[in-house]
Amino acid sequence: MSLLREIQDAAIDSKTDLASLLRKCKVLAARLGSEEFKSWVDSELSGYKNVEDLPEYRVLHVTSKGHFSGAFGSGMNNADIPMFCLPEKFRETMSRSNMMEPVASIEALVSKSDGGTAQEPWNPDFVAMVGQKIYQGMNCMQAWKVIPITALIAALDEIRNRILNFVLEIEAQDPDAGEAALNSSPVPPEKVNQIFNTYISGSVQNVATGSHSFEQHATNNDINAELFSQLLEALQSVNQPEITVPLCNNVEEMRSSQGTQSFKEHYQHFMSLLSNHMTVLGPVVAPFLPALAAIVP
């Protein structure tokens, strides 16, 4: 069986661990003479060293929870932490989890889980800095980011899909490319680079096609930012934190995920939570719903 077909079969078979699949890809990268593909494979195998180099599928949108203590033995455990309680400059950072680890580590985490969530602890210094500003009269003793295991599974699945698409396109160019001598360039380097950018790095999709489109996108983002800010203010005006805190967290998730596929999931969750409290929140939130629905891809 050719190397290209071996990679295809391994990508399709969920029982094949990703590390083994990626090592096959490393051989293919050498035979194609593609430094870009080799670098991506090495990063997935060994982990990413810089946050700036992370692909978007490794940046997860998360919520946070914590344990709180108050006067006279009062306290709350596993309480939601609203992002709007944090200083604005930290909200984006605390709303995401950067998965820098090798794929083998992520797969091990998924295999040991019960399908629920994983945790990423907050820095203790940061907890000490903001701990008294979250819930009135209470101090945060411990906090962590909540990472859905389903998000990790989706990230791993995305790697398989990108490899499969890349290899299928290489095979379309030259079915024997996987058996070529090292650095013999069976497929022209510029073509390999184009296929890599299209199916692996995704950079082709991030290039603006014209200045008018870019300006329109920026304008829409400005309008959306105002919408989310006003919606948060409206929710915060309702003095029932047991109802509004989860919704405010969800609004922060929508704000940080706009323009991505996960926005629709966060929007649906928001509407599901809202439906349980329409009597209280309906009059407050209703003016924002048409504009919010218009953002859904």
Side-chain angles (χ1 to χ4, degrees):
M1 182 183 296
S2 70
L3 178 61
L4 291 178
R5 291 301 173 91
E6 286 182 15
I7 294 174
Q8 291 171 30
D9 289 347
I12 293 171
D13 184 6
S14 60
K15 295 180 181 178
T16 301
D17 63 275
L18 266 175
S20 297
L21 171 58
L22 285 162
R23 282 191 281 270
K24 292 178 184 290
C25 289
K26 189 168 184 176
V27 175
L28 177 61
R31 293 179 180 176
L32 292 174
S34 174
E35 285 299 321
E36 293 85 358
F37 188 36
K38 177 180 179 297
S39 177
W40 177 77
V41 169
D42 286 340
S43 294
E44 292 294 340
L45 281 171
S46 303
Y48 287 80
K49 295 179 174 59
N50 301 309
V51 173
E52 296 78 11
D53 297 330
L54 279 180
E56 74 277 6
Y57 56 82
R58 277 180 169 262
V59 180
L60 309 181
H61 296 284
V62 299
T63 57
S64 290
K65 290 180 177 291
H67 297 323
F68 296 82
S69 66
F72 307 108
S74 63
M76 296 190 301
N77 290 329
N78 298 314
D80 291 311
I81 298 179
M83 288 296 104
F84 66 81
C85 293
L86 304 182
E88 187 172 359
K89 64 180 179 180
F90 296 115
R91 292 175 188 172
E92 182 178 355
T93 300
M94 302 308 294
S95 295
R96 67 172 185 253
S97 178
N98 299 313
M99 303 303 296
M100 311 284 289
E101 296 81 359
V103 292
S105 297
I106 301 176
E107 283 191 316
L109 181 60
V110 170
S111 66
K112 293 177 182 178
S113 74
D114 57 1
T117 60
Q119 297 181 1
E120 179 185 329
W122 281 23
N123 185 302
D125 293 335
F126 186 69
V127 175
M129 183 177 74
V130 303
Q132 296 181 343
K133 303 175 182 178
I134 299 174
Y135 285 105
Q136 186 175 4
M138 289 197 172
N139 186 35
C140 183
M141 308 303 295
Q142 183 183 8
W144 59 91
K145 295 178 182 178
V146 180
I147 304 173
I149 293 299
T150 53
L152 298 179
I153 294 173
L156 295 173
D157 196 50
E158 181 68 18
I159 296 173
R160 289 185 184 274
N161 291 337
R162 294 190 181 210
I163 290 172
L164 181 59
N165 290 334
F166 176 82
V167 172
L168 287 172
E169 188 61 30
I170 291 294
E171 185 179 47
Q173 298 296 318
D174 184 349
D176 299 321
E179 320 321 313
L182 292 179
N183 297 312
S184 62
S185 299
V187 179
E190 61 274 10
K191 187 63 179 179
V192 174
N193 188 55
Q194 178 188 354
I195 296 171
F196 174 82
N197 287 333
T198 301
Y199 294 105
I200 300 292
S201 74
S203 60
V204 171
Q205 299 175 357
N206 296 329
V207 177
T209 56
S211 59
H212 177 73
S213 297
F214 178 81
E215 292 169 0
Q216 183 64 41
H217 179 67
T219 301
N220 287 341
N221 279 346
D222 291 340
I223 294 173
N224 294 345
E226 183 177 357
L227 168 65
F228 289 122
S229 295
Q230 292 177 349
L231 179 55
L232 282 172
E233 290 178 5
L235 287 169
Q236 292 163 23
S237 69
V238 179
N239 190 24
Q240 295 192 39
E242 70 277 8
I243 295 176
T244 58
V245 165
L247 282 160
C248 286
N249 280 337
N250 213 201
V251 171
E252 291 287 1
E253 290 172 345
M254 286 192 291
R255 173 155 60 183
S256 61
S257 66
Q258 58 179 313
T260 70
Q261 288 298 320
S262 61
F263 179 89
K264 184 175 182 180
E265 178 183 344
H266 294 314
Y267 169 78
Q268 291 173 338
H269 186 214
F270 174 83
M271 295 303 294
S272 176
L273 291 175
L274 181 62
S275 65
N276 296 327
H277 307 286
M278 284 301 293
T279 303
V280 177
L281 298 178
V284 176
V285 177
F288 303 97
L289 295 183
L292 195 61
I295 306 175
V296 181

